[in-house]
Amino acid sequence: MNVVSAIKRVPEEIKHRLTERFSDVDFTFCHGMEEAESYLAQADIFLTYGEDLTPKHLNMAEKLKWIMVLSAGMDRMPFEEIRERGILVTNVRGIHAKPMAEYAISMLLQVSRQAKVLLEQEKNHDWNRKPRMTEIGERTMVVLGTGAIAQEVARLAKAFHMETIGVSKTGTDKPHFDETYKTEQLMDVVSRGDFIVSVLPSTKETVHLLNDDHFERMKDHAVFLNMGRGDLVSTDVLLRSVRKGKVAHAVLDVFEEEPLPADHPLWEEERVTITPHLSGISPHYVPRAFDVFEDNLHAYVTGEGELINIIDLKRGY
Amino acid sequence: MNVVSAIKRVPEEIKHRLTERFSDVDFTFCHGMEEAESYLAQADIFLTYGEDLTPKHLNMAEKLKWIMVLSAGMDRMPFEEIRERGILVTNVRGIHAKPMAEYAISMLLQVSRQAKVLLEQEKNHDWNRKPRMTEIGERTMVVLGTGAIAQEVARLAKAFHMETIGVSKTGTDKPHFDETYKTEQLMDVVSRGDFIVSVLPSTKETVHLLNDDHFERMKDHAVFLNMGRGDLVSTDVLLRSVRKGKVAHAVLDVFEEEPLPADHPLWEEERVTITPHLSGISPHYVPRAFDVFEDNLHAYVTGEGELINIIDLKRGY
């Protein structure tokens, strides 16, 4: 069985551990997709970040049975071709939970504690205790999404004694959420949040899910944070809402267009904080991703246990 | 019984609640110490932030039996004169816990997630995903102090799955600390911390408690955060340690000299983050402080229950 990996800079200890544990499996670790292309013809299993996998690659990989995507955002995957070929796809859903939850708490604290103003003061050697500090504790957080990432955000929010409200397609109860609602009830729910945090993926149902009316309903002091996908809300709606003071601040890690062009008006908005899609970045990312792969490979090779994070090729997540 | 308050801007609802509840007590709410001076002669109970209370004021307040200090830092209180007069002193120890714990987590996240660099990039419209993000989760936090504030910091640290180590005079076990040690063991303990957080007050034992040897022992990647009192470590030791890379970053909310002078070298240090002694600032401060006072006043007037946060006039805290 041949495993081909297009993942750059896999730590030697991980390579060593895998080759030791799975002695019947041949591993080829490539430095990116271009190098991997030469080995795709032999690949039974292919490891990729999924961003640059095209139908061309699928044609090259005639034997391919399983694509392990070391990412959670699957919007660039050629699902139609994959479905036709009946190739199994798994991802690392869940491993973004920790860094993304830290990102969310970090940014909400940053806004509440006026980090922008304070760092500017520091630069000017200005000892000024006037910037108004607020607490994130005991406030209400509405999370769009109730999956692994959302639950980790909610878990930390509960540690800060927040009220947590989750919104999902089914509205099913989930750990760390005090209340959960269906997406249809979103319009009523957004009005309750001091913080509105989205971790939603990009799907047919989520594209431009939030519109002017939702922002109209939000509290004026609310902070809106999007670390899911940028097409949840159109940039026009966002700019309008922030400029009209429908929310106090927007923290954006994802955008309709990425990278955000240097001349984009969002950069200049005082009440917008922009980060370059890094909420999920973590030094522990690759080790955690390979932990998921290793467990799945064991199940795949031995038939013992079940593979986790299998993607529904019709839904695309 | 006369209560005189020098606390500025007490919300009307609090004044109203107190006068309603304690109908036998006369309340005089003054806008600061200067106005309060005219009423001190009649005061049985005096409410002050404690920073500008001098022996002169004590002489004016002949009937004074109880000073309620709406602060936790008592370093400027004229304890000798107070002790001679046998005046009861209570403070609001504990109410700083929530904002200070949020400050600590906020700043550790800010350093770990490179907020300074990212905000600079934002200003330059620079979409750059290279700044190295680290997580605060699952690391080890050493807290100097194990009281109410330290416990709240440790409680949040535990929510981030950190290992928590507390250091106190007695080394007694305290909630939310995995391990606790005596101050004598500090030299061994500091070497274990990815984060070293001090909430220590200024006392004879804590002045310049940390020296070059402690910083020598700290991990190179450690973040040192001081939100206790600035005289815990001399500015020279701090500057030397940061410049030599003995720690990766110092987050300072307190200083040997406050306000920190505009020409102080600390302002210019890349690996120092300065905030102007605001870790304890909160919009909930005055309401929470009056909650403590109200409970104590009830105990004082009725003799039912016990007063909390009584200061040991010899120790000064």
Side-chain angles (χ1 to χ4, degrees), chain A residues 187-297:
Chain A
M187 196 64 84
D188 296 324
V189 170
V190 288
S191 65
R192 293 179 56 195
D194 300 303
F195 306 123
I196 321 282
V197 173
S198 177
V199 300
L200 291 175
S202 177
T203 67
K204 265 175 287 176
E205 291 92 357
T206 64
V207 172
H208 291 189
L209 176 66
L210 289 184
N211 57 41
D212 283 306
D213 292 340
H214 294 98
F215 282 90
E216 188 66 52
R217 291 278 192 104
M218 290 180 196
K219 292 180 200 279
D220 291 352
H221 69 250
V223 178
F224 171 71
L225 185 153
N226 189 6
M227 57 178 183
R229 280 296 179 260
D231 53 14
L232 176 77
V233 48
S234 87
T235 312
D236 287 346
V237 169
L238 253 183
L239 272 170
R240 203 154 45 224
S241 305
V242 167
R243 284 173 178 170
K244 285 187 179 165
K246 300 298 174 196
V247 289
H249 206 99
V251 175
L252 307 174
D253 191 47
V254 289
F255 304 86
E256 289 199 291
E257 189 183 354
E258 292 181 17
L260 191 67
D263 61 353
H264 197 286
L266 275 173
W267 289 110
E268 286 293 328
E269 285 299 317
E270 187 64 30
R271 295 194 286 195
V272 172
T273 299
I274 289 168
T275 54
H277 203 148
L278 46 63
S279 63
I281 296 179
S282 164
H284 310 301
Y285 190 92
V286 169
R288 283 177 189 152
F290 273 94
D291 283 347
V292 174
F293 173 63
E294 193 175 332
D295 288 349
N296 268 353
L297 184 60

Side-chain angles (χ1 to χ4, degrees), chain B residues 106-253:
Chain B
S106 175
M107 299 310 282
L108 296 179
L109 281 166
Q110 184 170 311
V111 172
S112 302
R113 301 196 64 89
Q114 305 232 40
K116 264 188 192 181
V117 174
L118 293 177
L119 289 173
E120 206 54 38
Q121 287 185 184
E122 181 177 336
K123 224 188 254 177
N124 301 325
H125 301 200
D126 180 11
W127 182 277
N128 176 358
R129 304 178 74 215
K130 293 268 161 58
R132 191 180 146 81
M133 302 287 108
T134 57
E135 294 177 15
I136 66 168
E138 289 158 43
R139 313 211 72 178
T140 297
M141 181 190 279
V142 174
V143 186
L144 311 190
T146 60
I149 297 164
Q151 285 171 36
E152 179 64 6
V153 175
R155 190 187 67 76
L156 286 178
K158 289 309 296 175
F160 284 88
H161 302 307
M162 281 193 229
E163 206 59 32
T164 53
I165 301 172
V167 181
S168 68
K169 214 186 285 184
T170 60
T172 317
D173 279 355
K174 285 292 166 65
H176 311 301
F177 283 103
D178 296 312
E179 303 169 38
T180 45
Y181 296 94
K182 293 186 184 186
T183 314
E184 294 92 81
Q185 296 160 285
L186 187 57
M187 196 63 83
D188 295 322
V189 170
V190 288
S191 65
R192 294 180 54 195
D194 300 301
F195 306 124
I196 321 281
V197 173
S198 177
V199 300
L200 290 175
S202 177
T203 67
K204 263 175 289 176
E205 291 93 356
T206 64
V207 171
H208 291 189
L209 176 66
L210 288 185
N211 57 41
D212 283 305
D213 293 338
H214 294 97
F215 282 89
E216 189 66 51
R217 291 278 193 109
M218 291 181 197
K219 291 180 199 279
D220 291 351
H221 70 252
V223 178
F224 171 71
L225 186 153
N226 189 5
M227 57 179 182
R229 281 293 180 261
D231 54 14
L232 175 76
V233 47
S234 87
T235 311
D236 287 346
V237 169
L238 254 182
L239 272 171
R240 203 156 43 224
S241 305
V242 167
R243 284 171 178 170
K244 285 186 179 167
K246 299 299 174 197
V247 288
H249 206 99
V251 175
L252 306 173
D253 191 47

Side-chain angles (χ1 to χ4, degrees), chain A residues 166-203:
Chain A
V167 181
S168 68
K169 215 186 285 183
T170 61
T172 317
D173 280 355
K174 286 290 166 68
H176 312 299
F177 284 104
D178 295 312
E179 302 169 38
T180 44
Y181 295 95
K182 293 185 183 185
T183 313
E184 293 92 81
Q185 296 160 287
L186 186 57
M187 196 64 84
D188 296 324
V189 170
V190 288
S191 65
R192 293 179 56 195
D194 300 303
F195 306 123
I196 321 282
V197 173
S198 177
V199 300
L200 291 175
S202 177
T203 67

Side-chain angles (χ1 to χ4, degrees), chain A residues 98 129 135 138 277 282, chain B residues 98 129 135 138 277 282:
Chain A
K98 284 180 182 177
R129 304 179 74 215
E135 295 176 14
E138 289 158 43
H277 203 148
S282 164
Chain B
K98 284 180 183 179
R129 304 178 74 215
E135 294 177 15
E138 289 158 43
H277 203 148
S282 165

Side-chain angles (χ1 to χ4, degrees), chain B residues 241-299:
Chain B
S241 305
V242 167
R243 284 171 178 170
K244 285 186 179 167
K246 299 299 174 197
V247 288
H249 206 99
V251 175
L252 306 173
D253 191 47
V254 291
F255 304 87
E256 288 198 291
E257 188 182 357
E258 292 182 18
L260 192 67
D263 61 352
H264 198 286
L266 275 173
W267 289 110
E268 287 292 330
E269 285 299 318
E270 188 64 30
R271 294 194 288 193
V272 173
T273 299
I274 290 169
T275 54
H277 203 148
L278 44 66
S279 64
I281 294 180
S282 165
H284 310 300
Y285 190 92
V286 170
R288 284 178 188 151
F290 272 94
D291 284 347
V292 174
F293 173 63
E294 194 174 332
D295 288 350
N296 267 355
L297 184 59
H298 176 76

Side-chain angles (χ1 to χ4, degrees), chain A residues 7 46-53 66-77 79 89-97 100 149 201 228-229 277 280-281 285-286 288-290 292-293 296 308-311 316-317, chain B residues 129:
Chain A
I7 307 302
F46 184 51
L47 274 68
T48 169
Y49 282 121
E51 293 184 323
D52 49 5
L53 185 76
W66 171 20
I67 303 171
M68 171 78 201
V69 184
L70 268 70
S71 164
M74 314 280 287
D75 15 326
R76 299 196 205 162
M77 290 280 286
F79 277 120
V89 177
T90 60
N91 72 357
V92 291
R93 187 171 52 221
I95 75 162
H96 301 77
M100 287 182 74
I149 297 163
R229 280 296 179 260
H277 203 148
I281 296 179
Y285 190 92
V286 169
R288 283 177 189 152
F290 273 94
V292 174
F293 173 63
N296 268 353
I308 63 162
N309 292 354
I310 294 176
I311 301 305
Y317 62 93
Chain B
R129 304 178 74 215

